[in-house]
Structure formats: structure tokens, C-alpha cells
């Protein structure tokens, strides 16, 4: 059998977007609020604009990033309701959506035509949008499946543009974002990802995007050095906050004035410094506590009222690196807690959460990096359940 040229669903989604752009249909882009989701949203929006320049002058594309602390992971009912007045419209979810069975059902019922472009492995139930791309779904025929969401969105753009007479270089401004978000999402740098990242870093060398030019200039970035790209471009983009469900890094990547871009970039660089300080302080506290009390424990399960949710993942990553055991960190809210978890190699956090899902409100993610929401009163039961699960896994 000939290998398929594009991940399953790519051509169908591209064709639907081509048709929508031709007719100037309204579109809602719902992106996860990390750099993968944000870059994916920018690329989709710019694809619409390339296909029909009228989009850059009107308001027919709306973008929304959920606040994880308030709305949880994935598509939120709040967004579906908020944009219902735009119907008829396309609802495009990027870097999330595969698990949103009910939200997709609801959006379709309201009259949205729905498109999901996700790279998360499906949980037990799979959402049924009108169009779906997710290389982790059953029946995928494309040989490479470790894309970031941004890589899949790029593939859609690539195919859509191949049906037009745009020159090759039109894709460069999309590739630079594809590279940054693939790196930021820590996807394996082999095969398609390797190619996308190499091409994207090349495009970054001659970027015209004011937001990236500002980060490169203010951060004195040497684009030849890998860690520079991580620390000086990706880290500030990842330190952005949400203002009215719009991510600051989305605004920076979309900014057309270099002067404005520099102001915004300065702010993100400062926020990144502050975030680093908080991460270090929290990490010191936790290391202290683990060394004193939990050296022998088989996992780390810690709850705090004070930790900043956006920093949990970074802190958990550092701890998993230090201790090579499952790390579950919770920020306790009034009724519920939000968790970010990181797992050492060979252990599957999603499987653990599925085993304990009776104590959870929502859960999702990848085997080494996942998360959940849980009612505060269920925290002790969840801890027991996870412990039992890992005890069994580690013994085997
Ligand atoms: Mn992602």
C-alpha cells in the first residue's frame, strides 16, 4: 500500500477551509492556551487571510483561549455559548478537542460546523466533530504520528496552499511558528518533526514577524544556538498571560508594528524572569520537603493553595528529572484542585488517571505529561488510588 501523503483528515479539512475562505464564512478558532495551541491558532488565522485577504480587514474570525484554571482542559461550554451568535460558523478546535465528546455534541447541536485538529491520544470516548485530524486515532494511515498540533495545522495549510498559486515562500511565516511550537511541546525531533523544525528555524533566520524580531533583538538571541531559541524566544512566549481569553503571546505574534511588538516582548521577557524566580523558589521548597519526608515514597503527591497553575508543569518536569518517580502537583482552589503531572519513562500517567477516573472531574494529556481536575474532598482517595496503581506497575 502506498503511504498516505498527509495525516488522515488533512485534505478534507484543508478543502473545507478553502471553501469557507472563498465564501468568507465566519470562523471561531478555539486554541489551547499553551504555545502549541497559540501558534496553531495564528497559523489557521493566517491561512484564512492568505486564502482571502478580506479576512484581515473584517472581524469574521474570532479567536479564544480557555483559562485552564476556570474552564478546565479542552473546549469549554462557555466559549461555545459565547460564540453561538456567530452561527452559521465553523468552530475549529486546535491542540484540544479529541476528548470533548459532550462539548462537540453541544456545539454541533447549536449549529456550528466543527473541526478538531488535535494530537492527544483519544481517551475511552472520542469526540465526533464534522472533521477530525488526530494521528493518534484508530485507523490512522500516515506513518508518522508524533506531531505537535502545530505540525498538523501546518500540514493543513501546506495542502490548502498547494491548491492555490501562492509561491513557496508564503509558507515560511507559518513554518517559523511550527518550529517554535514543536520544540516548545517537546515532541520527538525525528522524521516529519525534524524536517519541520529544520525548515522553520531556517525561516526564523529571516523572519519578518515584528513579534519575533522584537524577541530576537531584546533577547540578543543567537539563532545558531539551540538553547538560545528555547530560553530567549520560547520561554517568554510561554510566560504570557491571558487577558479576556486572548493570550498575550498571540497578540505578540500577530502584532504588525515593531514598536508595539517591542513593548509587548519586553513585558513577556519580564514575566518570564518572574516566573523563573517563582519556579525556583517552589522547587527549593519541594526538594526540601521530599528530601526530609518522602525520600522513600514511590510517588510525589503535593497540594498547595498558593502555587501558580501555569508553573506547575515546569516544576513537575524538574522534579521528575531529579527523582525519576511520578509527580502530581495540585493547586487547590475553593472547591476543586487543578493538577499537573509528569511521569518518568515507562510509566503512563493517562492510564493511571483512567484507572482512578471515578475520583476525577476531568483528565487528559500524554503518557509522560498529563493533568486533571478533582474535587478537593476526593484528593485523599485519589492519592490512595494512584499509589495502588503505581505500586502494581513498579512491581511488574
Ligand atoms: Mn500540544
Amino acid at each position: 500500500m502506498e503511504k498516505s501523503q498527509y495525516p488522515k483528515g488533512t485534505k478534507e479539512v484543508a478543502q473545507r477551509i478553502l471553501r469557507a475562505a472563498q465564501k468568507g464564512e465566519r470562523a471561531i478558532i478555539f486554541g489551547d492556551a499553551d504555545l502549541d495551541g497559540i501558534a496553531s491558532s495564528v497559523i489557521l488565522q493566517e491561512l484564512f487571510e492568505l486564502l482571502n485577504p478580506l479576512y484581515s480587514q473584517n472581524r469574521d474570525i474570532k479567536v479564544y483561549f480557555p483559562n485552564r484554571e476556570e474552564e478546565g482542559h479542552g473546549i469549554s461550554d462557555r466559549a461555545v455559548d459565547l460564540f453561538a451568535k456567530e452561527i452559521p460558523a465553523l468552530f475549529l478546535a486546535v491542540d484540544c478537542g479529541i476528548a470533548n465528546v459532550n462539548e462537540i455534541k453541544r456545539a454541533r447541536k447549536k449549529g456550528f460546523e466543527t473541526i478538531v485538529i488535535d494530537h492527544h491520544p483519544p481517551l475511552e470516548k472520542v469526540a465526533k466533530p464534522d472533521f477530525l485530524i488526530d494521528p493518534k486515532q484508530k485507523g490512522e494511515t500516515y506513518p508518522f504520528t508524533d506531531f505537535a498540533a502545530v505540525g498538523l495545522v501546518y500540514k493543513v495549510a501546506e495542502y490548502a496552499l498547494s491548491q492555490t498559486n501562492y509561491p513557496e515562500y508564503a509558507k515560511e511565516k507559518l513554518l517559523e511558528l511550527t518550529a517554535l511550537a514543536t520544540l516548545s511541546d517537546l515532541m520527538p525531533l525525528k522524521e516529519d518533526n525534524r524536517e519541520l523544525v529544520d525548515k522553520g528555524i531556517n525561516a526564523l533566520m529571516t523572519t519578518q514577524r515584528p513579534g519575533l524580531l522584537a524577541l530576537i533583538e531584546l533577547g540578543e538571541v543567537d539563532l545558531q544556538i539551540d538553547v538560545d531559541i528555547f530560553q530567549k524566544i520560547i520561554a517568554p512566549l510561554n510566560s504570557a498571560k491571558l487577558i479576556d481569553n486572548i493570550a498575550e503571546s498571540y497578540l505578540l505574534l500577530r502584532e504588525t508594528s515593531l514598536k508595539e511588538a517591542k513593548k509587548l516582548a519586553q513585558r513577556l521577557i519580564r514575566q518570564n524572569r518572574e516566573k523563573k524566580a517563582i519556579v525556583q523558589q517552589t522547587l527549593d521548597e519541594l526538594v526540601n520537603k521530599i528530601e526530609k519526608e518522602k525520600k522513600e515514597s514511590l510517588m510525589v503527591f503535593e497540594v498547595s493553595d498558593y502555587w501558580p497553575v501555569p508553573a506547575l508543569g515546569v516544576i513537575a518536569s524538574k522534579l521528575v528529572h531529579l527523582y525519576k518517580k511520578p509527580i502530581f502537583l495540585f493547586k487547590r482552589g475553593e472547591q476543586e484542585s487543578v493538577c499537573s503531572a509528569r511521569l518518568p519513562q515507562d510509566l503512563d500517567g493517562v492510564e493511571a488517571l483512567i484507572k482512578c477516573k471515578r475520583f476525577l472531574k476531568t483528565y487528559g494529556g500524554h503518557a509522560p505529561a498529563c493533568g486533571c481536575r478533582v474535587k478537593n474532598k476526593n484528593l485523599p482517595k485519589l492519592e490512595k488510588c494512584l499509589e495502588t496503581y503505581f505500586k502494581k506497575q513498579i512491581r511488574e
Side-chain angles (χ1 to χ4, degrees):
M1 199 171 75
E2 198 189 332
K3 84 166 194 184
S4 43
Q5 281 175 298
Y6 284 93
K8 189 174 165 188
T10 302
K11 289 185 182 177
E12 290 77 5
V13 169
Q15 268 148 0
R16 184 63 190 90
I17 290 176
L18 278 163
R19 203 165 64 191
Q22 240 165 34
K23 292 199 269 173
E25 292 177 48
R26 281 190 294 273
I28 314 298
I29 300 173
F30 183 100
D32 185 31
D34 70 3
L35 187 55
D36 191 22
I38 293 167
S40 297
S41 303
V42 173
I43 293 179
L44 268 184
Q45 187 168 9
E46 292 184 354
L47 174 63
F48 273 96
E49 290 166 357
L50 281 168
L51 295 172
N52 182 348
L54 285 175
Y55 276 107
S56 30
Q57 294 151 33
N58 66 27
R59 296 164 171 273
D60 281 342
I61 293 183
K62 300 259 157 70
V63 180
Y64 184 101
F65 302 99
N67 182 328
R68 272 190 204 168
E69 214 166 323
E70 290 165 16
E71 299 169 67
H73 258 81
I75 302 171
S76 64
D77 285 342
R78 190 206 277 183
V80 173
D81 291 343
L82 181 67
F83 293 113
K85 57 180 186 292
E86 308 287 333
I87 293 170
L90 290 178
F91 188 99
L92 300 112
V94 284
D95 197 22
C96 64
I98 185 83
N100 291 110
V101 180
N102 294 328
E103 291 78 6
I104 285 288
K105 203 185 277 172
R106 206 158 157 269
R108 293 183 72 176
K109 214 164 166 189
K110 280 184 183 274
F112 281 115
E113 198 171 332
T114 53
I115 298 177
V116 168
I117 305 176
D118 200 355
H119 68 135
H120 291 94
L123 303 175
E124 290 150 299
K125 283 188 186 156
V126 180
K128 293 202 167 54
D130 298 272
F131 298 91
L132 172 66
I133 301 173
D134 188 330
K136 304 275 173 181
Q137 68 177 306
K138 265 194 206 134
E140 177 60 62
T141 48
Y142 193 73
F144 183 71
T145 59
D146 286 333
F147 289 98
V150 80
L152 299 165
V153 172
Y154 178 78
K155 288 278 177 191
V156 169
E158 182 185 68
Y159 182 75
L161 292 173
S162 76
Q163 306 297 299
T164 69
N165 43 23
Y166 267 104
E168 266 307 290
Y169 67 77
K171 293 189 285 193
E172 294 208 346
K173 67 172 188 170
L174 310 181
L175 270 170
E176 61 193 20
L177 298 182
T178 307
L180 291 175
T182 301
L183 289 169
S184 168
D185 239 34
L186 301 177
M187 299 318 283
L189 293 183
K190 50 181 194 185
E191 299 174 52
D192 292 54
N193 283 347
R194 182 78 264 171
E195 197 185 317
L196 289 171
V197 167
D198 286 349
K199 281 189 189 163
I201 299 291
N202 253 326
L204 194 61
M205 306 265 180
T206 54
T207 182
Q208 303 292 312
R209 196 180 290 275
L212 293 177
L213 287 171
L215 284 174
I216 290 168
E217 190 191 313
L218 295 172
E220 296 171 14
V221 180
D222 182 346
L223 287 167
Q224 311 292 340
I225 305 179
D226 275 2
V227 277
D228 251 19
I229 293 175
F230 258 105
Q231 286 169 3
K232 296 181 175 168
I233 301 180
I234 294 174
L237 286 171
N238 268 326
S239 304
K241 296 182 176 142
L242 281 182
I243 302 168
D244 294 331
N245 292 104
I246 294 294
E248 288 171 320
S249 39
Y250 165 83
L251 295 176
L252 179 61
L253 294 173
R254 292 281 296 166
E255 181 56 58
T256 52
S257 132
L258 185 58
K259 201 168 150 230
E260 288 305 311
K262 279 190 189 170
K263 279 193 224 160
L264 200 44
Q266 195 62 265
R267 186 153 94 213
L268 296 193
I269 290 170
R270 194 190 58 229
Q271 282 170 197
N272 179 44
R273 256 200 311 266
E274 291 164 1
K275 184 174 152 189
K276 264 199 199 144
I278 293 174
V279 166
Q280 195 51 52
Q281 194 191 340
T282 315
L283 197 63
D284 290 346
E285 267 169 44
L286 277 166
V287 166
N288 231 321
K289 185 163 184 193
I290 294 168
E291 295 287 336
K292 267 200 199 131
E293 304 167 16
K294 317 233 163 165
K295 250 203 130 171
E296 307 305 318
S297 69
L298 106 179
M299 66 169 189
V300 172
F301 186 103
E302 290 292 327
V303 185
S304 160
D305 295 340
Y306 305 106
W307 293 334
V309 171
L312 288 184
V314 189
I315 299 166
S317 297
K318 297 201 184 230
L319 287 175
V320 91
H321 200 78
L322 280 174
Y323 294 105
K324 314 262 183 297
K325 51 184 158 193
I327 310 288
F328 288 79
L329 300 182
F330 295 82
K331 158 77 168 59
R332 182 164 38 206
E334 249 170 65
Q335 311 271 327
E336 293 172 7
S337 299
V338 185
C339 163
S340 207
R342 296 292 183 274
L343 290 295
Q345 251 178 17
D346 306 328
L347 286 176
D348 185 337
V350 176
E351 195 182 291
L353 292 173
I354 289 177
K355 281 279 184 309
C356 302
K357 69 172 184 193
R358 62 188 182 280
F359 303 120
L360 302 174
K361 279 206 75 174
T362 57
Y363 61 96
H366 306 281
C370 52
C372 65
R373 280 171 87 79
V374 52
K375 285 206 173 114
N376 291 340
K377 62 170 204 266
N378 282 336
L379 281 166
K381 289 178 210 153
L382 176 63
E383 182 174 11
K384 272 258 136 45
C385 177
L386 289 170
E387 228 166 43
T388 312
Y389 169 82
F390 286 119
K391 214 175 260 168
K392 225 176 124 206
Q393 292 299 309
I394 291 167
R395 231 190 285 123
E396 268 163 16

